[in-house]
Amino acid sequence: MSFKNLLPHTCEITLPGEITGTDEWGRSIHESKKPYKTSCRYVTEKAKRRNTEGESIVIQTSLLLPKECELSPEMSIDNLCDAEGYKITEEPLVVDNIKRQTSAKKLHHYKVVLKGAE
């Protein structure tokens, strides 16, 4: 079974812009990148968090993305939809961290852990 078959959702990823030069006053010129659409899987799972007050269980949300995606910790994720095109969440999705999921020798996919999606 292909990993792509396990990604029923879609989302739009917008990477941060890059500096393309300076203007006549020496200010940086930023060029924004166009968002691209990719398949993904929106996952919610219970996770245990320990702190000085003890252990608590929280809901952790993440996205599984194919290895072909270009990612950045400063990217924004919008328009998270299911297979029928209905929005899963209206909240902005903010990246907490990006984890590389590898098989024995190579990259298999990415797991993007989200901050407070819901």
Side-chain angles (χ1 to χ4, degrees), residues 8 13 17 22 26 30 45 65 96 102-103 110 112:
I13 296 176
T22 57
H30 292 272
E45 55 195 352
L65 296 166
D96 186 17
T102 57
S103 59
Y110 292 102
V112 177

Side-chain angles (χ1 to χ4, degrees), residues 18-63:
E18 52 191 30
I19 297 173
T20 58
T22 57
D23 63 7
E24 60 229 24
W25 294 285
R27 295 178 297 189
S28 299
I29 298 173
H30 292 272
E31 184 175 323
S32 58
K33 293 188 176 182
K34 293 186 179 187
Y36 67 92
K37 196 171 206 171
T38 185
S39 57
C40 63
R41 181 176 197 92
Y42 183 68
V43 179
T44 58
E45 55 195 352
K46 291 182 181 177
K48 291 183 181 179
R49 298 282 188 244
R50 293 180 190 219
N51 58 18
T52 57
E53 299 171 2
E55 186 176 284
S56 61
I57 297 177
V58 297
I59 301 295
Q60 176 179 309
T61 56
S62 59
L63 282 178

Side-chain angles (χ1 to χ4, degrees), residues 10-14 35-38 76-80:
T10 59
C11 65
E12 281 186 3
I13 296 176
T14 306
Y36 67 92
K37 196 171 206 171
T38 185
S76 63
I77 302 168
D78 299 309
N79 296 328
L80 180 62

